[in-house]
Amino acid sequence: MSDDAALGWLGVPLAVVAGAIRVSTPFILVSLGECLTERSGRINLGLEGTLVLGAMTGYGVSYLSGSPWLGVLAAGTAGALFGLLHGWLCSLRRVNDIALGIALMLLGTGLAFFLGKALIQPTAPRLPTIPMGGWLGNEQLASALAISPLFLLGLGLAPLLAWGLRSTRAGLRLRTVGESADAARALGLSVDGWRIGATACGGFLAGIGGSYMSLVYPGSWNEGLSSGQGLMAVALVIFARWQPVRCVWAGLLFGGTSALGPALQSVGVTGGYYLFNAAPYVLTLGIMILTSSPHRTLAGMPLELTRIR
Amino acid sequence: MSEAVISDWPAAKETGHPPVVELFKVTKRFGSFTALENVSLCLKPGTLHALLGENGAGKSTLVKALLGYHVADSGSVMVGGHEVAMTHPTVAHGLGIGMVYQHFTLVPNLTVAENLVLSRDELPVVIDWAAERRRLVEFMATMPFAIDLDRPVAALAAGEKQKVEILKQLYLGRKVIVLDEPTSVLTQQEADEVLSLIRARVVAGQLSVLMISHKFREITAYADEVTILRKGQWVGSGKVADMTTKQMADLMMGGGTTVAAADRREGPPGEVRLRLESLRADDDVGVPAVDRVSLEVRAGEILGIAGVSGNGQKELVEVLAGQRRATSGVIRVDELPYTPTRTAMRRAGVHILPEEPLRNACVGSMSVAANLAFRDFDRAPLVKAGWFVSWKAITARARSLIERYGIRTTGPDAPIASLSGGNVQRAVLAREVDGTARVLIVANPCFGLDFGAVAQVRRRIMEARNGGAAVLLVSEDLDELLQLSDRLAVMADGALVHHTTPAATTPAELGKYMAGHP
Ligand SMILES: Nc1ncnc2c1ncn2[C@@H]1O[C@H](COP(=O)(O)OP(=O)(O)OP(=O)(O)O)[C@@H](O)[C@H]1O
Ligand SMILES: [Mg+2]
């Protein structure tokens, strides 16, 4: 408490930065995954379910094996399997991406709650963080700058994905499938195969994003763990115009503004607490409106997404 | 069996000569409809072979079977004397056979460079863009026309896309190229450029080409041999030098006659119907594309707009169709300011036949009947009791239009995207040029039509004019413009640079203005 007083108003930007780092990680991982999926011409709305399932799996495996890293891997695998299911079902005739996504979202959360009942009590080993602010000599600053390796994973993955989409065979082909199924077929590519693969990869990342929530921050398993992060991350992909690096910025912005309300409250500004909690949504909406134009199509949108029925 | 061919192939590749490609008794059915029946064709090495036939004769279906895009129901494909199971386009690509499809297969949001590199058969896992670019620039330097490698394909006009498609096949080093109507969106000069380029390689023995075309001029000038289809059947083949255009046309049409051109009804034109005042518009990436275009079209006259594709015609037509917003300027119809909405179009009688109609004027997955009803599905007689859409009436009307305009389809319920290219054009024409048009805007109306249909379409346009409609005809075909127009304007770089009349000008003069150096 004394630290808090010492920092005073300085605590607000600090809390925002710390929040940006801490809260943003699942947003970043899920939206990177969804970005990959959508670039192939599919939408997976089920990622909210994948996220919660990943959180439960990660926590459970970490508890049972004693290794949080094994938990992360298991969460990713569960997510990938769920993505595979989505991808495969979508390839059937007359199956709609959106409706199926919603069904899988409900299935994923339901399954996680059902299987995770026993995990609410026990404490699983958490994922360690990397202390990066120790040299500052201030405990609060140091704890704000304790960074999770999963955050760094998201940070590193974004430019890697951007590069991969531009400069690898797989990336170019994935984009072709997402832009024009006809062109892909004329090239001899299997459109469904690529989309199933991309959805599985997206699920893998979303699963890892889930494990962050149960193994890092907030760092426990319960049924109120997610408040729609998975769904919001899907929206952030549109906000980021399907660019991986922008997904990171979008996640950070969203995470940072979510920390604004609690931070202001801690320095005594209590008025408009709920209003500040709405800040991330207002901000993303505002930027969305400012950067869109009714006279242009949404720049960067994979064209096959417009054909989803 | 296919393994044998593939292992033989590298040897052939080294000598650089294309193999003999044969189609033997190919049959292809779509449901109960037989699109091809026992069709055979032999493409000899180092020849340019033309494939002729009416719209819907089965030409595209035949070449798609050759490429493995469709798998034939019976019959076989032989390459270099060996039978090959053409089950997939990659099999054909592996044998050095490539195709330019009738409907473009470039990826719109990728750049020209990405599109070219993407289709390479041995694409490395990681792409070294610096090296790829160097190779592309070197390759482009050997080509007679330049295309900006960094533009997204979506921003290119139809003619430029077609050039990229053809460049792509050459870049990939294909030995056998199939071209499905490669010149229908090119101007005569552009077509000659492209065809001479291909012809030179054919004569040098490096390439065989199978080309679908509706233009006899090109066939007699560039092709060695010809095969003719009618209604899915083989009806003749031989050396082009041994045949007259008349013989080829008779084989195509089965002796039927084509409609005569409509006479131009003389007399002074009426009042101004369509007036554009200093219209400007941007293209998809926000670059100005239409530059202060002012024009007027009177009742009972045809104003032709000539120009090389990519000079703003596409954007101009889109503005008039309400698909694109003008950045400034005014459109007037009957001297009143006009905003292209559905209601305004109906009230003012503005009808539009845009280019690439399957994309711009149809919903591909909806039926022919529904597409034919787009203009008036919500009014009597297609609506009963004020709000109830009568599918019976829509289907009945579609049947009569299909009959009257000779649209070849399996029925009014077939999705319009399953129609052959020329028949989509006829369907949209049937809907738009139905006699009630007061202002008619037409872009490249004969793109992809066989000569019989061309005569029919031009007659309809002339009849609309004679009936008092104001017609704006945007076209890349100078013959068409000179034949139909009362007045002509040339569009270059988004602006109207020259006004004249067909009697006072020549194709050569128009060509100079189109190229931007009068
Ligand atoms: N996928 C499909 N499903 C059903 N019918 C089809 C399909 N593809 C083609 N057809 C039909 O097969 C016939 C031949 O079509 P095709 O495209 O080969 O004609 P075409 O000779 O290339 O004509 P055009 O000169 O107009 O391009 C047409 O009547 C068409 O409606
Ligand atoms: Mg065709």
Side-chain angles (χ1 to χ4, degrees), chain A residues 163 166-170 172-173 175-176 179-180 182-183 185-189 295-296 300-303 309, chain B residues 69 88-90 93 101 105-110 114 117-121 123-127 129 284 325 365:
Chain A
W163 171 81
R166 200 177 53 244
S167 296
T168 65
R169 179 172 67 194
L172 216 50
R173 290 189 173 163
R175 281 161 63 201
T176 303
E179 294 290 345
S180 165
D182 272 343
R185 261 178 230 120
L187 279 175
L189 301 179
H295 310 302
R296 268 180 288 128
M301 176 154 173
L303 286 181
R309 257 165 289 153
Chain B
Y69 191 89
H88 205 263
T90 44
H93 297 166
Y101 292 85
T105 51
L106 294 170
V107 186
N109 280 346
L110 263 51
E114 287 175 324
V117 170
L118 171 71
S119 8
R120 282 183 44 194
D121 297 316
L123 194 60
V125 175
V126 171
I127 298 160
W129 274 111
D284 290 326
R325 206 179 58 126
S365 55

Side-chain angles (χ1 to χ4, degrees), chain A residues 134-222:
Chain A
W135 53 277
L136 286 167
N138 177 308
E139 200 187 315
Q140 206 188 3
L141 279 175
S143 83
L145 290 175
I147 287 171
S148 165
L150 291 183
F151 175 71
L152 298 180
L153 173 75
L155 226 53
L157 208 55
L160 194 72
L161 278 179
W163 171 81
L165 283 171
R166 200 177 53 244
S167 296
T168 65
R169 179 172 67 194
L172 216 50
R173 290 189 173 163
L174 183 88
R175 281 161 63 201
T176 303
V177 170
E179 294 290 345
S180 165
D182 272 343
R185 261 178 230 120
L187 279 175
L189 301 179
S190 154
V191 174
D192 281 335
W194 278 91
R195 292 187 175 161
I196 292 173
T199 317
C201 290
F204 183 78
L205 288 179
I208 292 185
S211 72
Y212 176 92
M213 297 182 68
S214 61
L215 294 176
V216 182
Y217 180 83
S220 64
W221 163 251
N222 61 64

Side-chain angles (χ1 to χ4, degrees), chain B residues 30 33 35 55-61 102 181 214 418-422:
Chain B
F30 295 107
F33 177 77
N55 293 131
K59 306 179 296 294
S60 298
T61 309
Q102 186 169 13
E181 301 191 23
H214 290 296
S418 76
L419 266 58
S420 78

